[in-house]
Amino acid sequence: MRIILVTGTGGAGRTTVAAGTALAEARAGHRVLLVSTAADGALFGAAGLRAAEAPPGRPRPVPLDTPDAPAKGGAPAHGARPGSLHVLVPDPAGDFRREFLAFQDRSRTALDLLGATPFEEAELTELPGSGQVALLRAIRDAAAGDWDLAVVELPPVPEALALLALPEQLRRYLRRLLPAERQAARALRPMLAQLAGVPLPAQWLYETTARWEAELAAVQDVIDSPRTAVRLVLEPGPAATGALRTARLGLALQGLALDAVVANRVLPAGSPDPWFAGLAAEQHGHLAALREDHPDLRELPHLGRGLRGPDDLALLAVTGPGPEAAAPVRRTVEDRRAEDGILVWHVPLPGAVKDGLGLVRRGDELLLSVGPFRRAVPLPAALRRCTVTGAGLVDGDLRIRFAPDPGLWPAGKDGKD
């Protein structure tokens, strides 16, 4: 299956593009899951679609067309499998209650020792961040389902980039605070528990940590999969070019592929009305600037009115993988030991400038700051036995030079490994 993560600038229409794409792909004969917090409300109502009832947090089937407006074109060929569309609305409140009560139940012994009064389900209210966790879990569950395509509506670009970085960040914190080596003594804990008469808190703490690590790793696998790509929706305007460059830089830093860039609500040119013609000309100037940064820009029309049925919604679709989908961001190590005695790590950072770049080596990680983003990037195994000797930025390619550490680098007959 493919997973398309749809983000964009605030108000650019990412909800409409995500829903339209899901509908068009379903009409073409695919089994599609749309994960969205907003598409199942006023948008579906305006398009004449209505999702069936289902428990919160469960996929809900959506008829592909209204009874009085059958599909036009887009029907699967004779003998082809009919498509289907389901919508999944994450349930942050229910998700938080289930997780909190499960954690409280597992740690009940420790809480009793502390004299704590447990919470009842009815008095629990979700905490900030619950929505992000529920959305990540929905992405993980979507990848495990029987779908051909999952279209996931993400928050606007800054929040989306932070969301996609969250699983790796949390796993890093867990590994640092509760490293796996400390669990080597877990065989002693049952004996110590018998002596103390109660289970030791460390036992359930490590069990909980291991479960969190497994769940975060599952989400990270989906995000890093070559079948997962990000689709960026922009409305042509003064801030669009800057938003595109920032988004490309943030995605590249996380090693994520950009599936397509979509210019939404494009006005038609050639209007005889001077006011409308001036507005369209200004917008098309911004479109030209966007094409300079991204020649394969996709365009969607401004309908000039509200949605009048599912066919209108399907007009605002971007189907199929974009031209960049086959070229995920890759970091490569160039071996130049024979010529210069160094290895060069190439880290693609399109649009990065030298003034906003910072590098700090810490153990087996490189703390990389670029523009508004900061990330701890694990070093490849070979470079962990090297020392950093310098770095340079050439046309969006960060080239970090490493020299093998003689005390760590195994030497063969020719002095190289």
Side-chain angles (χ1 to χ4, degrees), residues 103 144 195 228 319 340 369:
F103 176 78
L195 294 175
T228 298
T319 57
D340 306 315
S369 300

Side-chain angles (χ1 to χ4, degrees), residues 3 16 22 35-36 39 53 70 84 127 173 189 220 229 269 286 305 313 329 336 356 373 381 403 407 413:
I3 296 181
T16 308
V35 179
S36 173
E53 295 298 325
S84 64
L127 296 175
Y173 295 153
R189 288 201 289 269
Q220 191 66 49
H286 295 304
R305 50 179 168 75
L313 184 59
V329 176
R336 287 170 41 186
F373 307 107
K413 294 180 180 179

Side-chain angles (χ1 to χ4, degrees), residues 283-373:
Q283 188 191 64
H284 282 258
H286 295 304
L287 275 173
L290 285 171
R291 287 195 198 95
E292 289 182 5
D293 276 357
H294 196 88
D296 298 307
L297 187 71
R298 307 268 194 109
E299 295 184 17
L300 293 176
H302 197 306
L303 297 181
R305 50 179 168 75
L307 297 174
R308 295 179 181 172
D311 289 330
D312 275 2
L313 184 59
L315 289 174
L316 305 177
V318 179
T319 57
E324 295 190 9
V329 176
R330 298 189 184 280
R331 306 184 185 102
T332 59
V333 177
E334 179 186 1
D335 190 346
R336 287 170 41 186
R337 287 175 293 163
E339 304 88 347
D340 306 315
I342 61 172
L343 295 98
V344 180
W345 194 23
H346 294 265
V347 180
L349 295 175
V353 294
K354 194 173 298 183
D355 292 342
L357 192 61
L359 298 171
V360 177
R361 168 78 180 271
R362 182 180 176 88
D364 292 339
E365 294 179 329
L366 186 70
L367 303 181
L368 179 57
S369 300
V370 52
F373 307 107

Side-chain angles (χ1 to χ4, degrees), residues 107-114 188-204:
S107 56
R108 184 173 298 278
T109 301
L111 295 175
D112 288 344
L113 289 173
L114 296 173
L188 297 176
R189 288 201 289 269
M191 180 182 67
L192 295 175
Q194 289 182 359
L195 294 175
V198 294
L200 294 181
Q203 185 172 351
W204 60 260

Side-chain angles (χ1 to χ4, degrees), residues 31-104:
R31 294 167 298 180
V32 183
L33 176 68
L34 172 64
V35 179
S36 173
T37 59
D40 193 29
L43 177 62
F44 271 15
L49 299 173
R50 181 178 179 84
E53 295 298 325
R58 299 294 299 274
R60 302 164 62 188
V62 181
L64 299 184
D65 298 282
T66 56
D68 56 343
K72 300 176 182 178
H78 178 70
R81 180 187 61 197
S84 64
L85 174 61
H86 287 70
V87 61
L88 173 62
V89 180
D91 180 26
D95 207 42
F96 172 76
R97 286 194 297 269
R98 285 190 297 271
E99 287 296 310
F100 186 91
L101 291 173
F103 176 78
Q104 181 176 259

